[in-house]
Amino acid sequence: MSFHSEVIGSGSYLPDRLVTNDDLAKIVDTTDEWIVERTGIRQRHLAADGELTSDLALQAARRALEAAGTPVQEIDAIVLATTTPDETFPATATKLQAALGMTRGIAFDVQAVCSGFIYALAMADNMIRLGQVRTALVVGAETFSRLLDWTDRTTCVLFGDGAGAFVLRAAEGGPDTIRRQGRGLISTHLYADGRQHDILYANGGVSSTRTTGTVQMAGKEVFKFAVANMAAVGGQALAEAGLTESDIDWLVPHQANKRIIDATAKKLRLPEEKVVLTVAKHANTSAASIPLAFDAAVRDGRIKAGHLVLLESMGAGMTWGASLLRW
Ligand code: UT7
């Protein structure tokens, strides 16, 4: 028996506290004009004191389960992507499991920074294809604000907090069934290149400093690496599925910077009208950004049943990936 995954619901959550570019201009030497022109970001949401990654994850997960019509008892696995876990251990996924009232199944975290959601999606999809899991909750959740140096204008203006989630359900049949029935996760493609460590990292950790460290970034290098590799993996996903850019209804890229997204879409020959862009509203929320953007476009009616959607990401490591699905 062969299986594939269907994404049967999505949900997302942004914490209440809204911080505009003008608010940031009061604490670092920056302007709304500079941030909008270089990044497309207009505002970000930040978690309140005491509001943790698992709290954001819980809100997004509940909304995704509600959209899917899936009771908590049916979840066999939670795969949660985060760079900002509640605690060093256990996995934030297990805190979410308890908060949801789930008393069985498995729960674990995935760490691939901004590519975390695509990595988590691939792990859940692979378990479903193997028949190990029937229903999976895939979550990207971050309180990235806690990793920022709020005196460093080159990084602190770029990030925000949030969470997003998908519910995946096993369906019988392989790729041909997806083609015939018009629904399902067609493929996932993952990459990492550890030699790129120095262009984006946090300068601390359990084993090195017993602190979290703060974000260190060589912005221009990250920018170039992101455009080249996201365009390449997006092209690979299409080519392997025997599809072309004209088959794509929506590109849902990692929301880090509008200029990176524009340049990647251009390389993929996708017009602006086919790109879901939410970075202006919530800045770079790392592993949460793809499901946040996807969920916004589902709820406002842009992504419709049967649409072909290309997801793609780039994160520290460097890590990158793509996924092709029919909604
Ligand atoms: O998930 C991946 C996460 N990382 C990213 O997505 C980052 C990718 N990189 C970028 O998005 C861009 O490189 C940035 C937005 C970070 C920077 O844009 P840029 O066009 O590459 O600017 P730059 O680094 O060349 O900086 C230009 C100037 C510099 O001043 P000087 O040296 O020319 O006098 C910076 O000091 O802008 C200055 N600058 C700022 N000015 C006002 C840097 N940050 C700010 C700021 N406000 N917040």
Side-chain angles (χ1 to χ4, degrees):
M1 177 78 70
S2 65
F3 296 100
H4 67 274
S5 313
E6 288 182 356
V7 183
I8 59 169
S10 69
S12 60
Y13 177 74
L14 289 165
D16 290 339
R17 188 176 157 211
L18 189 67
V19 176
T20 65
N21 293 343
D22 285 335
D23 293 332
L24 290 183
K26 291 178 197 141
I27 61 166
V28 286
D29 182 14
T30 191
T31 60
D32 175 55
E33 195 187 5
W34 190 95
I35 300 170
V36 172
E37 188 191 304
R38 303 290 176 124
T39 71
I41 296 165
R42 294 187 180 273
Q43 60 182 44
R44 70 285 297 137
H45 291 252
L46 301 186
D49 289 344
E51 193 175 19
L52 307 185
T53 294
S54 64
D55 297 320
L56 309 188
L58 178 63
Q59 300 300 330
R62 281 190 176 142
R63 290 175 185 181
L65 290 167
E66 194 187 337
T70 302
V72 165
Q73 297 77 356
E74 285 184 12
I75 306 169
D76 303 311
I78 297 178
V79 189
L80 186 146
T82 191
T83 313
T84 47
D86 290 9
E87 298 161 339
T88 301
F89 75 86
T92 301
T94 58
K95 292 194 71 183
L96 176 61
Q97 181 193 27
L100 282 169
M102 211 180 124
T103 52
R104 56 169 208 93
I106 59 169
F108 62 96
D109 287 359
V110 166
Q111 159 60 302
V113 202
C114 302
S115 295
F117 190 77
I118 300 286
Y119 269 63
L121 195 61
M123 297 308 114
D125 180 43
N126 289 339
M127 288 189 291
I128 285 175
R129 283 172 191 250
L130 280 172
Q132 283 180 326
V133 159
R134 187 172 143 68
T135 306
L137 182 61
V138 181
V139 185
E142 301 276 16
T143 45
F144 220 81
S145 61
R146 309 242 155 93
L147 273 180
L148 298 173
D149 173 355
W150 289 99
T151 65
D152 176 12
R153 69 173 183 176
T154 68
T155 52
C156 77
V157 303
L158 302 175
F159 297 91
D161 301 334
F166 281 4
V167 179
L168 263 57
R169 169 69 54 85
E172 283 181 19
D176 289 344
T177 320
I178 302 176
R179 220 162 282 140
R180 272 200 315 278
Q181 296 181 350
R183 190 177 197 192
L185 202 56
I186 296 166
S187 63
T188 54
H189 308 263
L190 305 179
Y191 288 94
D193 179 356
R195 292 170 301 178
Q196 308 300 329
H197 169 274
D198 292 357
I199 65 174
L200 187 55
Y201 64 103
N203 61 351
V206 177
S207 184
S208 54
T209 61
R210 299 191 187 190
T211 66
T212 60
T214 56
V215 175
Q216 312 292 312
M217 183 176 71
K220 273 196 197 315
E221 282 68 26
V222 173
F223 194 108
K224 281 184 262 174
F225 198 88
V227 174
N229 290 291
M230 281 207 291
V233 73
Q236 181 198 355
L238 285 174
E240 286 184 15
L243 299 164
T244 69
E245 66 275 3
S246 59
D247 296 309
I248 295 281
D249 293 295
W250 294 103
L251 173 68
V252 183
H254 169 48
Q255 308 283 319
N257 177 321
K258 182 177 185 300
R259 284 160 56 219
I260 294 179
I261 294 172
D262 289 347
T264 308
K266 198 171 163 200
K267 269 185 183 275
L268 285 168
R269 295 195 296 269
L270 284 171
E272 219 175 307
E273 310 82 71
K274 288 190 171 186
V275 181
V276 177
L277 200 63
T278 55
V279 68
K281 282 181 64 178
H282 55 63
N284 182 349
T285 57
S286 184
S289 93
I290 289 177
L292 269 164
F294 188 95
D295 188 51
V298 167
R299 286 173 195 263
D300 68 21
R302 275 178 287 173
I303 298 179
K304 293 185 172 55
H307 275 178
L308 185 71
V309 185
L310 177 63
L311 314 178
E312 53 175 30
S313 70
M314 167 62 57
M318 297 294 278
T319 54
W320 64 105
S323 179
L324 198 57
L325 67 93
R326 271 210 196 274
W327 177 242

